[in-house]
Amino acid sequence: MPPVLELTHATVLRGGTPVLHDLSLCIEPGEHTAILGPNGAGKTSLMRVLTLDDRPRASDGDGPPPLRLLGRFSWDLTELRARFAVVTGDLDQRFGLEMSGGRVPGLDVATSGLLGSHGVFFHHDVTPEMRQQGLDALARVEALHLAAKPLNHMSAGERRRVLIARALVTRPEVLLLDEPTTGLDFVARQQFMDSVGRLAREGTTILIVTHHIEEVIPETRRVVLLAHGRIAFDGPPEAALTAERLGGVYGAALEVGKSGGYYHVRVKA
């Protein structure tokens, strides 16, 4: 199988100023990866590249496009999302809550991933098989009990689960999560990340873009540290998530610990 993601000497300019500098990154199937960095490191710019909202240029200005997803340079976005799914921390605000006041039940949210829509509407022809796929996706994130519950009656953690189910309904090879636990309390965050870990163990390649070290799941095989639009370090978690290395990236004296497979950090007094 081709790499799920290939960036080759990619540069992104905004207003004529580079926001990503000469990035090269190759992630193989099953290589669960966390891309970590402080505010201003370039994570948002990288997400815009991976969601095809921005197109990077080759650093030397020549050669083929510097981005390939699942082995291909060009994609129809609907086809790509069926295989390379994306869930962002603000998706529950843009999905449902703004479109319909949040009155979309969990099963419709999950099933709508097959339709490329924000809910199931009267003009959609939804088959029993599609409904079953929605139920199966909810089951994968332990959210079957939310099938009939509207989004506006769910907690932030529950909404995040059904949005993950929506992304999983097409059985994608890759799940890209951007700041996935934004707005969740520490209990909901732990439950949510444990669900993501189960998906990793089931065979979905997980990519997490975050500034929270607590979102690095135990199944993570690789951590990429971003700083000032460049890759500051790329290696296994035990080498990346040290007080010295993280302190250099975040610009602070830190203490790093680990319990239950998860890392945690605090600023030294």
Side-chain angles (χ1 to χ4, degrees):
M1 294 179 63
V4 301
L5 165 64
E6 293 174 273
L7 277 172
T8 306
H9 298 295
T11 293
V12 174
L13 301 177
R14 187 158 294 120
T17 301
V19 291
L20 294 177
H21 306 261
D22 197 33
L23 258 62
S24 291
L25 182 63
C26 181
I27 298 175
E28 299 291 340
E31 192 174 31
H32 311 302
T33 300
I35 300 171
L36 189 70
N39 293 331
K43 299 188 305 300
T44 299
S45 297
L46 179 58
M47 277 297 304
R48 289 185 59 82
V49 168
L50 299 184
T51 56
L52 306 187
D53 291 313
D54 284 341
R55 299 285 181 167
R57 54 182 286 182
S59 298
D60 60 6
D62 296 319
L67 172 66
R68 285 201 291 187
L69 298 175
L70 299 170
R72 287 168 52 180
F73 290 115
S74 62
W75 283 93
D76 169 80
L77 195 57
T78 301
E79 181 189 2
L80 176 62
R81 287 293 163 261
R83 299 181 58 193
F84 194 106
V86 178
V87 176
T88 62
D90 66 348
L91 185 58
D92 54 357
Q93 294 299 320
R94 294 186 288 109
F95 180 98
L97 296 184
E98 292 180 359
M99 295 291 293
S100 61
R103 294 184 293 274
V104 185
L107 179 55
D108 282 3
V109 174
T111 305
S112 71
L114 298 167
L115 305 167
S117 63
H118 284 181
V120 175
F121 303 103
F122 68 92
H123 62 279
H124 288 138
D125 183 16
V126 179
T127 66
E129 290 77 12
M130 294 168 69
R131 291 286 187 188
Q132 186 58 53
Q133 286 177 265
L135 290 170
D136 292 344
L138 288 171
R140 288 188 70 191
V141 294
E142 299 183 333
L144 269 177
H145 62 291
L146 301 174
K149 190 173 185 178
L151 280 177
N152 61 351
H153 291 172
M154 295 182 194
S155 68
E158 289 173 334
R159 291 198 305 271
R160 211 64 49 82
R161 282 176 181 267
V162 298
L163 291 171
I164 290 282
R166 179 179 183 267
L168 295 175
V169 73
T170 57
R171 292 277 173 176
E173 290 109 296
V174 185
L175 180 60
L176 171 62
L177 301 173
D178 176 32
E179 307 286 0
T181 66
T182 298
L184 304 189
D185 62 41
F186 67 91
V187 174
R189 174 192 293 167
Q190 187 66 55
Q191 293 171 339
F192 181 83
M193 296 315 299
D194 286 348
S195 295
V196 174
R198 283 193 294 273
L199 297 175
R201 294 192 297 274
E202 290 172 2
T204 303
T205 301
I206 303 295
L207 307 181
I208 297 176
V209 179
T210 184
H211 62 263
H212 295 297
I213 189 176
E214 296 84 1
E215 292 181 349
V216 178
I217 57 176
E219 292 77 11
T220 299
R221 297 174 59 186
R222 183 175 176 188
V223 174
V224 178
L225 298 180
L226 283 184
H228 309 295
R230 302 179 184 273
I231 294 177
F233 182 78
D234 181 355
E238 59 271 19
L241 303 179
T242 66
E244 180 180 8
R245 206 175 296 280
L246 286 174
V249 169
Y250 282 81
L254 304 175
E255 292 181 354
V256 178
K258 187 178 182 182
S259 61
Y262 288 87
Y263 288 86
H264 52 86
V265 63
R266 73 179 188 89
V267 180
K268 282 187 177 180

